[in-house]
Structure formats: C-alpha cells, structure tokens
Amino acid sequence: LNSTFSQTIKMSDKAGGKIFKHRCDQCHSVEAGGKHKTGPILNGLIGSKTGQKTGYAYTDANKSKGISWTPETLDIYLTNPKKYIPGTKMVFAGLKKKKDRDELIAYLVKSTK
C-alpha cells in the first residue's frame, strides 16, 4: 500500500464502517468465520482473486475476471460494479463520491484481515 493510502486508512476507517453498515452490510459480512449472505463474505478480501470464496455461487463473470482485490481495484469496482465486471449479480449501483469509496476501502482493508 502506498503511503498516501496508508494515511487515508487511519483517518477514514470509522466513516467507512458507517458506509459499510448502510450500503453493504445487508448483503456482505466481514467477520472471520462468518457466513455468506446474498453476497460473499469479505473476510480476507485484500489480495484475494475475484470469484474464489468457497461455498458462494459466483457468476462466470466474477470467476473469470482474474484480478486480485487491492485498494486500487476496489476503487474502480466500487465506482460502478457492473461496468468493471459485466455480468456480476451484485445489484449495488456503486459509490460515485471518491471520498466515500476511500473511506469504505479503508474500512475494508482494516476489517477484512
């Protein structure tokens, strides 16, 4: 992680937790040992490949995307998930504000280890 993003993580993960609760929690969980909901569990997200969590029925689009989740790829994805992975079943429209994405990603980096 670059130093600018590391500083953002320290400042933003609390605000990102609120965004997660309001925008993501109904379909995803972050806890180790948690269960899949409508969407896959996000524990271990950073560094993992798309479409690989055991026990979740991913679309072929997610399985074949072939990228690893990093703060940078999450930023692109969370802007417009259906544009980044055409064919994904995630119905979330995305977060248009960069600040919201940065805060959410900071939360995900910290909470999905």
Side-chain angles (χ1 to χ4, degrees):
L1 297 174
N2 67 45
S3 62
T4 302
F5 192 78
S6 295
Q7 290 172 338
T8 301
I9 289 173
K10 290 175 187 161
M11 297 182 309
S12 301
D13 65 88
K14 278 191 176 177
K18 290 178 184 173
I19 293 169
F20 185 86
K21 183 176 181 188
H22 293 291
R23 305 293 298 271
C24 315
D25 187 58
Q26 57 272 36
C27 295
H28 295 282
S29 63
V30 295
E31 300 83 26
K35 296 189 184 298
H36 297 301
K37 295 182 178 182
T38 303
I41 187 169
L42 300 178
N43 189 263
L45 177 68
I46 304 301
S48 68
K49 292 228 183 266
T50 55
Q52 303 299 313
K53 293 282 183 186
T54 303
Y56 185 77
Y58 290 96
T59 62
D60 288 340
N62 280 81
K63 290 184 214 171
S64 64
K65 181 66 176 180
I67 58 109
S68 293
W69 291 120
T70 66
E72 294 77 19
T73 56
L74 281 168
D75 184 51
I76 298 165
Y77 182 68
L78 291 170
T79 301
N80 186 338
K82 290 188 181 297
K83 182 176 179 185
Y84 191 58
I85 304 181
T88 185
K89 62 183 173 184
M90 187 158 113
V91 296
F92 181 62
L95 292 171
K96 302 308 175 210
K97 294 179 182 171
K98 175 80 169 129
K99 181 177 184 282
D100 290 347
R101 291 192 311 275
D102 287 346
E103 290 171 348
L104 178 58
I105 292 166
Y107 171 77
L108 290 171
V109 166
K110 183 175 180 181
S111 65
T112 64
K113 290 182 181 178

